[in-house]
């Protein structure tokens, strides 16, 4: 890329993001289009603002985003909002491998007498946060597996925004955890078993499909669902057997 290339105006971070889309030149950005580039960057978990959309379109036109008139900026923003956000790609074999680690964490919860749910946060192929259910042991109603994994991941990165991260959890998140996942800007949620009582990813409600929310996490259900469901069923069956009639 040369200094004369309009793409150089976007700055190194945006150029790196565009490289993930295979866009290395002004001509490639023109071919993809500013709106499509913006939507795809959002789908990959990057925190994007409308100013980036305007900058991208300005680059297409050979000017700065601040030079676009208000009517054009608004039309671009409405077009981006109307465009369905494509889910980021999921490698199913890799997802099953990460879910196996989440299931191991769920077994730790069961051994501690907690509802067996495990979760982990992954970024760039590395686990940066882990958690298993501990509301009983911690005397904390918010100590769900997802919440603990998110807290550890945020501490690892030094940022509550977990851009580009994936969360793997053995059970469909509840509304509390779903809200935290969205707030953390998690790019992908992969879960095992559905939860017909409190599931907030489609079983009872679907907070991830609410169009009025600012961030939209891509959701992939059913990874190693049979194992996750069996672990929960066995736990509750054993607990009922120990309870007095």
């Amino acid at each position: 890329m040369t200094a004369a290339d309009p793409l150089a105006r976007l700055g190194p971070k945006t150029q790196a993001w565009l490289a993930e889309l295979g866009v290395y030149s002004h001509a490639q950005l023109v071919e993809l289009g500013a709106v499509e580039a913006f939507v795809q960057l959002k789908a990959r978990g990057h925190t994007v603002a409308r100013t980036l959309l305007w900058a991208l379109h300005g680059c297409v036109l050979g000017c700065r985003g601040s030079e676009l008139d208000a009517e054009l900026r608004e039309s671009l923003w409405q077009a981006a909002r109307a465009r369905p956000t494509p889910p980021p790609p999921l490698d199913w074999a890799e997802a099953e491998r990460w879910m196996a680690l989440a299931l191991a964490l769920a077994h730790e919860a069961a051994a501690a007498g907690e509802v067996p749910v495990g979760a982990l946060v992954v970024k760039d192929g590395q686990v940066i946060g882990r958690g298993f259910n501990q509301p009983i042991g911690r005397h904390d109603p918010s100590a769900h597996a997802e919440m603990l994994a998110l807290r550890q991941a945020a501490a690892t990165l030094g940022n509550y925004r977990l851009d580009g991260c994936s969360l793997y959890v053995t059970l469909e998140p509840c509304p509390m955890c779903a809200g935290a996942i969205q707030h953390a800007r998690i790019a992908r949620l992969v879960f095992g078993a559905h939860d017909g009582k409190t599931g907030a990813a489609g079983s009872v409600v679907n907070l991830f499909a609410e169009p009025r929310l600012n961030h939209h996490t891509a959701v992939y259900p059913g990874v190693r669902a049979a194992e996750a469901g069996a672990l929960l069923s066995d736990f509750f069956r054993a607990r009922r057997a120990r309870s007095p009639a």
Side-chain angles (χ1 to χ4, degrees), residues 181-198:
I181 289 166
Q182 300 261 64
H183 190 59
R185 305 297 199 273
I186 288 289
R188 296 186 301 186
L189 164 66
V190 182
F191 70 85
H194 285 271
D195 185 350
K197 294 184 177 180
T198 64

Side-chain angles (χ1 to χ4, degrees), residues 3 11 13 19 47 52 83 88 97 121 143 146 240:
K13 183 170 76 170
T47 300
L52 176 61
R83 187 77 59 87
R97 179 167 61 88
V121 177
E146 302 95 308
R240 286 193 297 269

Side-chain angles (χ1 to χ4, degrees), residues 2 5 30 60 90 109 125 144 152 168 228:
T2 66
D5 192 323
V30 171
V60 167
L90 180 71
H144 286 194
Q152 189 177 100
Y168 298 83

Side-chain angles (χ1 to χ4, degrees), residues 158-215:
N159 192 339
Y160 81 91
R161 288 192 169 187
L162 305 178
D163 293 329
C165 294
S166 298
L167 187 143
Y168 298 83
V169 60
T170 57
L171 182 66
E172 180 181 0
C174 69
M176 173 184 70
C177 294
I181 289 166
Q182 300 261 64
H183 190 59
R185 305 297 199 273
I186 288 289
R188 296 186 301 186
L189 164 66
V190 182
F191 70 85
H194 285 271
D195 185 350
K197 294 184 177 180
T198 64
S203 291
V204 179
V205 296
N206 194 346
L207 293 181
F208 298 98
E210 172 51 62
R212 292 170 293 182
L213 294 179
N214 183 48
H215 177 75

Side-chain angles (χ1 to χ4, degrees), residues 10-244:
L10 296 173
K13 183 170 76 170
T14 300
Q15 290 173 38
W17 288 358
L18 289 172
E20 296 176 18
L21 309 181
V23 174
Y24 298 94
S25 69
H26 176 253
Q28 289 172 322
L29 179 60
V30 171
E31 182 178 359
L32 181 61
V35 171
E36 184 62 25
F38 179 85
V39 169
Q40 289 192 27
L41 290 175
K42 182 178 180 181
R44 287 176 175 265
H46 296 300
T47 300
V48 295
R50 64 184 72 188
T51 51
L52 176 61
L53 173 61
W54 301 333
L56 290 170
H57 192 69
C59 183
V60 167
L61 298 179
C63 66
R64 299 188 180 279
S66 58
E67 297 174 13
L68 303 178
D69 64 58
E71 185 177 350
L72 177 55
R73 291 200 301 267
E74 181 61 22
S75 67
L76 289 166
W77 178 240
Q78 293 305 323
R81 292 186 64 186
R83 187 77 59 87
T85 302
L90 180 71
D91 183 322
W92 199 263
E94 181 184 45
E96 290 191 334
R97 179 167 61 88
W98 292 124
M99 191 62 73
L101 297 180
L103 284 164
L105 290 166
H107 280 284
E108 290 189 47
E114 306 272 4
V115 175
V117 180
L120 50 89
V121 177
V122 175
K123 182 176 177 64
D124 297 330
Q126 300 292 324
V127 177
I128 61 170
R130 309 168 188 263
F132 59 84
N133 263 8
Q134 298 184 63
I136 298 172
R138 293 193 177 209
H139 313 295
D140 179 359
S142 72
H144 286 194
E146 302 95 308
M147 301 293 285
L148 298 179
L150 289 171
R151 289 171 187 165
Q152 189 177 100
T156 299
L157 296 183
N159 192 339
Y160 81 91
R161 288 192 169 187
L162 305 178
D163 293 329
C165 294
S166 298
L167 187 143
Y168 298 83
V169 60
T170 57
L171 182 66
E172 180 181 0
C174 69
M176 173 184 70
C177 294
I181 289 166
Q182 300 261 64
H183 190 59
R185 305 297 199 273
I186 288 289
R188 296 186 301 186
L189 164 66
V190 182
F191 70 85
H194 285 271
D195 185 350
K197 294 184 177 180
T198 64
S203 291
V204 179
V205 296
N206 194 346
L207 293 181
F208 298 98
E210 172 51 62
R212 292 170 293 182
L213 294 179
N214 183 48
H215 177 75
H216 294 92
T217 297
V219 179
Y220 301 86
V223 177
R224 303 190 78 147
E227 295 167 73
L231 181 58
L232 287 158
S233 297
D234 292 347
F235 174 82
F236 286 113
R237 187 182 301 113
R239 192 162 77 173
R240 286 193 297 269
R242 292 194 302 266
S243 299

